[in-house]
Amino acid sequence: VHLIIADAEIELIPDELLKFPAVRATARRRGKKPSECLLDSSLHYSALRHLKDGGRRGRADITHFCLLLALDSIANRKGMLHTFVHTRNDLVMEFSPDVRLPKNYNRFAGLMEDVLVNGGVWSEGRQLISLKKESLKSLLERLGGRAYLLEEDGKQFSSFASLRDATVIIGGFPHGSFISDVGNMCRRISISGEKLMAWSAVSIVLARAFPAKLYF
Amino acid sequence: VHLIIADAEIELIPDELLKFPAVRATARRRGKKPSECLLDSSLHYSALRHLKDGGRRGRADITHFCLLLALDSIANRKGMLHTFVHTRNDLVMEFSPDVRLPKNYNRFAGLMEDVLVNGGVWSEGRQLISLKKESLKSLLERLGGRAYLLEEDGKQFSSFASLRDATVIIGGFPHGSFISDVGNMCRRISISGEKLMAWSAVSIVLARAFPAKLYF
């Protein structure tokens, strides 16, 4: 499975907000430049009201959980998973299957800042997280094969085994719709009649797409 | 399913550490008394070295993630899940199925402090999170029925459907063994040959224990 957390609400603080007092205060407290800090809805709530789509932005926590689940999964340990994050600014991060992410949110936010500022993370000459400018559409073209996009009002879907060699796209935002245009490049499916948080969708896909013999 | 996150590493800063400079500094920054702040391994790393089991304590993040998965699950929304957290100090929290927890870790930590300091959380006269002093053993006695405890070297287990009307115990700590004594009150099982993070175990149990028709 190629797993893409797409339109993820992860970004550095955008120019329009750099002068806001709350933004400057939180950056100062961390000893960082505001332009090198992650936008965080729980810290920058008041400033976000002045931003387009402010009600859904600054949610690295959603991607954090999705990644912890994906990278710790048995499928990933067996080399059957390939994990990407695509952000609202059309940046694509690719994660080495053996990268160990911080479990603590504040440390994860620091890691994302490093990736976005430095263009990736390396260890002993090997790249653990890469970053490139790429739209969701071009990422799908690059990966090829069948792609499924999960959304609440997609087509009822239960044949999880067919996800196995495909690309699965899960939205990395709290509510609303995908903002990326993917035209007709993927089937839009729903795995439950209800709205799910992104991590619940990741967890169901991981547990059901792979053969039961992956467990006992 | 009764789900118990057991021996969870959630506690207020213990007396032995209240005088440590790092502990006092983090409390002051948040405008709280040190004794009313949560122990947090990412903030109190140096102080934890002086504490018994210091290498595993202060990990509310693990429980946070397990709870977000459990409470957002379709099983929980259909009233088929009953969620508890049992801590290393033998405190048991019980969560109303419709409680909405903060997604952000720092806010969740604040909520846990409220629960531990005030004995619970109420909203409009109804208790959303309760707290009582109770050992894991007495909780199991109170719940009755079959109980399964997940651990790496438990008996190979794959008949997930039998978890459906039972109690499932998952450790809320990063590594090591359960510290609670449960005698022979539960079957010790392993759902995969490998060590799983607590949230991976929760996610697999939730996705596989319930009938597929819960989804589409």
Side-chain angles (χ1 to χ4, degrees):
Chain A
V1 174
H2 299 296
L3 175 68
I4 307 177
I5 309 301
D7 291 342
E9 293 291 0
I10 295 193
E11 60 189 313
L12 296 174
I13 294 174
D15 291 345
E16 309 94 284
L17 298 191
L18 292 179
K19 300 275 177 228
F20 275 72
V23 167
R24 294 160 63 110
T26 53
R28 197 167 43 234
R29 211 150 53 215
R30 298 181 51 214
K32 289 206 170 197
K33 287 193 243 175
S35 61
E36 300 189 349
C37 285
L38 217 55
L39 184 67
D40 182 324
S41 71
S42 79
L43 297 175
H44 308 130
Y45 187 78
S46 58
L48 273 165
R49 283 183 291 128
H50 299 275
L51 212 58
K52 179 171 172 282
D53 291 340
R56 61 184 268 178
R57 287 166 76 173
R59 293 302 302 275
D61 58 309
I62 296 177
T63 297
H64 182 213
F65 279 179
C66 292
L67 288 174
L68 288 181
L69 272 173
L71 295 169
D72 187 53
S73 69
I74 298 182
N76 183 57
R77 298 183 201 183
K78 308 238 179 205
M80 299 163 80
L81 194 68
H82 194 176
T83 308
F84 300 88
V85 170
H86 161 270
T87 77
R88 74 148 45 230
N89 295 326
D90 279 340
L91 294 169
V92 170
M93 301 180 200
E94 187 172 343
F95 294 79
S96 163
D98 56 352
V99 64
R100 290 172 61 96
L101 297 184
K103 314 295 187 255
N104 178 274
Y105 168 71
N106 300 306
R107 289 176 187 237
F108 174 75
L111 176 73
M112 288 293 102
E113 288 162 352
D114 286 348
V115 172
L116 292 171
V117 171
N118 305 325
V121 169
W122 291 259
S123 166
E124 299 171 1
R126 211 162 61 81
Q127 189 158 31
L128 297 177
I129 308 177
S130 70
L131 181 76
K132 64 195 281 193
K133 181 83 186 163
E134 187 172 35
S135 69
L136 181 55
K137 212 166 181 168
S138 7
L139 174 59
L140 290 176
E141 271 161 17
R142 174 153 74 91
L143 296 176
R146 275 167 306 127
Y148 296 86
L149 179 145
L150 270 66
E151 62 181 3
E152 189 187 354
D153 44 13
K155 198 167 165 237
Q156 287 193 16
F157 182 86
S158 60
S159 48
F160 283 94
S162 40
L163 301 181
R164 229 171 270 172
D165 310 302
T167 297
V168 177
I169 302 159
I170 293 175
F173 45 85
H175 45 72
S177 308
F178 284 89
I179 51 179
S180 286
D181 169 29
V182 288
N184 54 7
M185 293 184 68
C186 42
R187 302 174 209 197
R188 290 166 178 272
I189 61 170
S190 163
I191 54 173
S192 103
E194 310 190 34
K195 195 169 153 42
L196 292 173
M197 291 301 297
W199 53 79
S200 298
V202 169
S203 113
I204 295 169
V205 166
L206 290 173
R208 300 187 79 91
F210 295 97
K213 67 173 187 320
L214 215 59
Y215 312 93
F216 276 140
Chain B
V1 173
H2 299 296
L3 176 67
I4 307 176
I5 310 300
D7 291 343
E9 293 291 0
I10 296 194
E11 61 189 312
L12 296 173
I13 294 173
D15 292 345
E16 308 95 284
L17 298 191
L18 291 178
K19 299 277 178 227
F20 275 71
V23 167
R24 293 161 62 108
T26 53
R28 199 167 41 236
R29 211 149 56 213
R30 298 181 51 213
K32 290 204 168 199
K33 287 191 243 174
S35 60
E36 300 188 349
C37 286
L38 217 56
L39 185 66
D40 182 323
S41 70
S42 78
L43 297 175
H44 309 129
Y45 187 78
S46 59
L48 274 164
R49 280 183 293 129
H50 301 273
L51 212 56
K52 179 170 172 281
D53 290 341
R56 62 184 267 179
R57 287 167 76 173
R59 293 300 305 273
D61 59 307
I62 295 177
T63 297
H64 180 214
F65 198 10
C66 292
L67 288 174
L68 288 181
L69 273 172
L71 295 169
D72 187 53
S73 70
I74 298 182
N76 183 56
R77 299 182 200 185
K78 309 237 180 207
M80 300 162 80
L81 195 67
H82 194 175
T83 310
F84 299 88
V85 170
H86 162 268
T87 76
R88 75 148 44 230
N89 294 326
D90 279 340
L91 294 168
V92 170
M93 301 180 201
E94 185 172 344
F95 294 79
S96 163
D98 56 353
V99 64
R100 291 170 61 94
L101 296 184
K103 314 295 186 255
N104 178 273
Y105 169 71
N106 301 306
R107 289 178 185 238
F108 174 75
L111 176 73
M112 289 293 103
E113 288 162 353
D114 286 347
V115 173
L116 293 170
V117 171
N118 304 324
V121 169
W122 291 260
S123 166
E124 300 172 359
R126 211 163 60 82
Q127 189 158 31
L128 298 177
I129 308 177
S130 69
L131 181 77
K132 64 195 280 190
K133 182 84 187 162
E134 188 173 35
S135 69
L136 181 55
K137 213 165 181 171
S138 4
L139 174 59
L140 290 176
E141 270 161 17
R142 174 154 73 92
L143 296 176
R146 276 169 301 128
Y148 296 87
L149 179 147
L150 270 66
E151 62 181 2
E152 188 187 358
D153 44 13
K155 197 167 164 237
Q156 289 192 15
F157 182 86
S158 60
S159 48
F160 283 94
S162 42
L163 301 181
R164 231 172 269 173
D165 310 302
T167 297
V168 177
I169 303 159
I170 293 175
F173 44 84
H175 45 73
S177 308
F178 284 88
I179 52 180
S180 285
D181 169 29
V182 288
N184 54 6
M185 293 184 70
C186 43
R187 304 174 207 198
R188 292 168 177 270
I189 61 171
S190 162
I191 54 174
S192 103
E194 311 190 34
K195 197 168 152 41
L196 291 172
M197 291 301 297
W199 52 78
S200 297
V202 169
S203 113
I204 295 169
V205 167
L206 290 172
R208 300 185 80 92
F210 295 98
K213 69 174 186 322
L214 216 60
Y215 311 92
F216 276 142

